[in-house]
Amino acid sequence: MAERATRGSSVAPAYLLLTLTALLWAGNAVSSRWAPGHVSPQVITTLRWAVACTALAPFAARRLVAEWPLLRPHWLRILLMGGLGYTAFNCLFYTAGVHTGAVNLALFQGAIPVLVILLNRVAYRVPVTAGQMIGVVLTLIGAGIAATHGDWSVLTRLDFNRGDVLVFGACLLYAGYTIFLPTRPKVTALAFFAAMAIAAFVTSLPPLAVEWATGHAVWPGLAGWAMVAFVGLGPSLMAQLFFMRGVELIGPNRAGLFVNLVPIFGAGLAVLLVGEPFGATQAVALALVLGGIACAERLKPAPAAGATPEAAYSQTRTRRM
């Protein structure tokens, strides 16, 4: 009993951090719907990482310099993780929001946990437990109900346009980023994130140049800058730090399930900010998503005897390089 209580208290911070991450990402989705006309996709992508890097500088600069000898051998990995998991994901996501609807965006985002589990299986032979599969199914049903507002016939009418392809590509990139997080160099999370934030900013400049050269760049006004400040400090900075720590505590497969809270929180923010109703459909969706996360947690295999709390997610953790 005492051992179970110890395990529960050791992962409780991960649940809180991952829930806050989903809330901030839901806010990012709302911002993406407001952005057209106020700021263009590549401009907001570059500016959000400029804001994040600026906010990080006073806290991370010394640590980044001190730990650079450990980071330098992994510079290509950092560039790819920052460029694909941060820059490319945001570029594709914001661009997709111009071409596809909210239903499609929510449904494809709900696929991230499935992609994480599948990629972990393919890349690292990580076993998929029955609890994880049940959790994935329940959370996907919940996300589907939230996205379709309980009208499953919507699924039969979906037209997969360019936006759908773009957002699926974005989700695939973020799933790949997630499974590589546990392999990060042996440095502090702050130094590693600072390095990736810089990589994200640098890799965002070429697509920004293309958008500007083609005449599609829209620079922010007052409302646009408010969005930039939010996505730079919230989804870009705090959410990424929270997510990295959550993955470190409970592993990518289990952490990935919390992504399914994004459409639920998105609906909640729509109620608060846009005035959309919250009825029985949304309540059922929320119950299914939370139930799926609970199944994945409760039905996981017990950790090996003598395992430390932080190593308790041996079913999903990969080597750290």
Side-chain angles (χ1 to χ4, degrees), residues 67-155:
E67 300 186 42
W68 178 244
L70 297 174
L71 289 166
R72 184 170 52 206
H74 306 280
W75 69 270
L76 183 57
R77 174 189 295 267
I78 294 169
L79 190 66
L80 288 174
M81 290 182 71
L84 296 178
Y86 290 173
T87 299
F89 172 83
N90 290 317
C91 288
L92 292 174
F93 188 79
Y94 286 125
T95 304
V98 177
H99 299 285
T100 192
V103 170
N104 301 51
L105 287 172
L107 285 173
F108 279 115
Q109 277 189 291
I112 290 179
V114 178
L115 294 174
V116 168
I117 291 174
L118 293 178
L119 290 179
N120 247 332
R121 178 62 180 170
V122 172
Y124 298 113
R125 305 296 184 193
V126 175
V128 180
T129 67
Q132 288 172 340
M133 289 308 301
I134 294 173
V136 165
V137 170
L138 287 177
T139 51
L140 281 179
I141 292 173
I145 290 175
T148 63
H149 301 283
D151 180 11
W152 291 103
S153 65
V154 170
L155 297 177

Side-chain angles (χ1 to χ4, degrees), residues 24-306:
L24 289 169
W25 281 342
N28 182 54
V30 172
S31 296
S32 72
R33 293 197 292 270
W34 285 344
H38 297 286
V39 58
S40 56
Q42 311 308 327
V43 170
I44 193 173
T45 298
T46 298
L47 291 180
R48 68 182 287 171
W49 290 111
V51 169
C53 289
T54 301
L56 270 174
F59 308 99
R62 288 186 180 181
R63 193 173 294 270
L64 182 61
V65 171
E67 300 186 42
W68 178 244
L70 297 174
L71 289 166
R72 184 170 52 206
H74 306 280
W75 69 270
L76 183 57
R77 174 189 295 267
I78 294 169
L79 190 66
L80 288 174
M81 290 182 71
L84 296 178
Y86 290 173
T87 299
F89 172 83
N90 290 317
C91 288
L92 292 174
F93 188 79
Y94 286 125
T95 304
V98 177
H99 299 285
T100 192
V103 170
N104 301 51
L105 287 172
L107 285 173
F108 279 115
Q109 277 189 291
I112 290 179
V114 178
L115 294 174
V116 168
I117 291 174
L118 293 178
L119 290 179
N120 247 332
R121 178 62 180 170
V122 172
Y124 298 113
R125 305 296 184 193
V126 175
V128 180
T129 67
Q132 288 172 340
M133 289 308 301
I134 294 173
V136 165
V137 170
L138 287 177
T139 51
L140 281 179
I141 292 173
I145 290 175
T148 63
H149 301 283
D151 180 11
W152 291 103
S153 65
V154 170
L155 297 177
T156 66
R157 301 195 300 267
L158 289 178
D159 295 321
F160 291 94
N161 57 28
R162 180 170 60 176
D164 298 319
V165 176
L166 290 174
V167 74
F168 178 77
C171 293
L172 186 62
L173 288 175
Y174 204 84
Y177 159 79
T178 300
I179 70 166
F180 282 115
L181 267 183
T183 71
R184 67 179 176 83
K186 294 181 180 178
V187 297
T188 61
L190 185 61
F192 182 64
F193 175 68
M196 286 204 302
I198 294 172
F201 173 72
V202 171
T203 55
S204 74
L205 296 177
L208 173 64
V210 172
E211 187 178 70
W212 177 79
T214 57
H216 294 101
V218 177
W219 297 95
L222 184 60
W225 274 112
M227 295 178 200
V228 168
F230 167 73
V231 298
L233 297 176
S236 297
L237 181 59
M238 292 187 292
Q240 297 298 341
L241 288 173
F242 292 167
F243 189 69
M244 280 202 298
R245 181 55 178 163
V247 169
E248 186 176 358
L249 286 172
I250 65 174
N253 281 11
R254 291 160 64 190
L257 286 172
F258 284 78
V259 175
N260 280 301
L261 288 172
V262 173
I264 303 297
F265 286 147
L269 290 175
V271 171
L272 294 175
L273 301 178
V274 185
E276 295 183 1
F278 184 89
T281 298
Q282 290 78 14
V284 169
L286 179 59
L288 284 169
V289 170
L290 295 179
I293 293 172
C295 284
E297 290 298 301
R298 294 297 181 181
L299 300 181
K300 67 182 182 292

